[in-house]
Amino acid sequence: MGSRAGVWVGVCPDLVLLKNCSKVSSFHGGNNISLSFPSRFGSDTKCPTSLKCFPVASASSLSGSGAQYAGSEQLLDVQTKQRKKGIAGIDQDELVDPKFLADPDSCFCEFRGVEIHHKVYDAQSQAHEAEALSSQTKKVGLPMILLHGFGASVFSWNRVMKPLAEVIGSKVVAFDRPAFGLTSRVNLFGHSSSGNGEPGPINPYSMAFAVLATLYFIDFLAAEKAILVGHSAGCLVAVDAYYKAPERVAAMILVAPAIFAPRTIKKGVKGSQSGEDNQTEEDSSNSINLGNPFIQLFRMLSKFAKFISQAIMLVVKGMVGMFSSLYKKFLSAVLRSAFAVMLVRMVIDKFGVTAVRNAWYDANQVTEHVIQGYTKPLRVKGWDKALVEYTAAMLTDTSSESKPPLAKRLHEISCPVLIVTGDNDRIVPSWNAERLSRAMPGSCLEVIKHCGHLPHEEKVDEFVSIVKKFLYRALEDSEEQHLQVVV
């Protein structure tokens, strides 16, 4: 330092003492600054030996007119490093492995190279409740699988796992799908984007993987059938799992289902009428055309023109398929770019917490505990890239092209279905749930008053009561049908 005595400022790991010290005394001898530290170090104590120090400036430089502080740049660097970059209030400079964030009741299992985070509640394992459960819930005896919505996780089911287990008298399991919660984020390098369920690598962020994971947990529970409970986008997984293996699904409960329900149309009547009309017209035309060479020639030319037009349409469809494939490849490249990751981070930072609050009818009930539960996965390494991969998998999925649209298959569902919605759902309007119920023959619709998008969190007691009533009634009906078949 030469002949000038420097001023040394201690820097704590989580604060800059120049800003947070309770007192800065006047100069002593013109060469030193005496600092008093906050109460956490004790009153009027000197800088602890664990603190790192660096020279800021000499006393003469502090008093010099227009002189630059020797250590100002270093001080600014320290302050900049201490301002951690956050997304929705979560520090992004210290992301960790999901298992470091696990709760005491968290479990992990490996399925197709993915460490799936899940929680299990077994009502039968509670010894002090065994007698009460045996008399109240012995009629159900089927396990239940809970499927969370977009942006949610196992956390959203925490309040209802125990009461639902008491209703069914069996195990309830909830798991985080890839890209959400504490399930591991998988690097897609070497993975196929195929989502058709055939043997081989399947994109872990695809719908096909979510369906297979759901069926895996039915086997995990050592059950032949299970009750599927989906919330919002999780309802799509439940319905697709039913289509994949209807014999494994005993009943479905769709909560605020994010399934587009078109207007119901009586297709059978229209189809039969059009078929009869076509047959009548063909018979009458055949009777008129007998013995008329000009009309027969016209018909031959019409068939030839129809053949040519069909050939052209096939070529056009091939070109459309080619352009569609190129478009999806381009879209996939854009979605997996650094720009898309940056965009996802911006959207989550700006609207993430707001979306959670809007999901409730009464935003005042959204406590800090709720916010922390929904933003906790933002502390997982690779959460942003995984969310981009999930979005890309949903938008570029080709497995559904070989199947009829979901809206046209809803009438095929034959298992008992309960649809629950809140009358003030701002995310998926309740009228969509009502229309969805009409598209599913035999389904039951329940609308909870003064409730938003999360009935299982906002109206726990009422939600559980509705589920209990539905399951008991559905089970009784199935038992009656079984007795009728046996007789």
Side-chain angles (χ1 to χ4, degrees), residues 47 52 83 96 142 148 171 177 208 217 247 272 288 323 325 327 381 384 398 411-413 445 465 470 473 477 486:
C47 177
K52 297 181 180 180
R83 295 193 190 100
V96 298
L142 292 171
H148 64 77
K171 294 180 180 180
R177 299 195 299 279
F217 274 100
E247 71 282 358
S272 61
I288 295 175
F323 284 117
S325 176
Y327 167 74
K381 290 181 179 179
D384 46 2
T398 58
H411 67 279
E412 300 175 5
I413 299 176
L445 173 67
S465 176
F470 163 75
R473 183 174 62 248
D477 293 342
V486 172

Side-chain angles (χ1 to χ4, degrees), residues 121-141 161-171 468 472:
Y121 191 92
D122 187 1
Q124 294 179 347
S125 66
Q126 307 300 317
H128 62 282
E129 298 176 353
E131 295 181 0
L133 289 174
S134 62
S135 61
Q136 295 178 5
T137 60
K138 60 182 181 180
K139 293 183 179 180
V140 179
M161 287 191 71
K162 180 179 178 179
L164 287 177
E166 293 173 351
V167 166
I168 63 176
S170 185
K171 294 180 180 180
K468 179 179 180 180
Y472 286 177

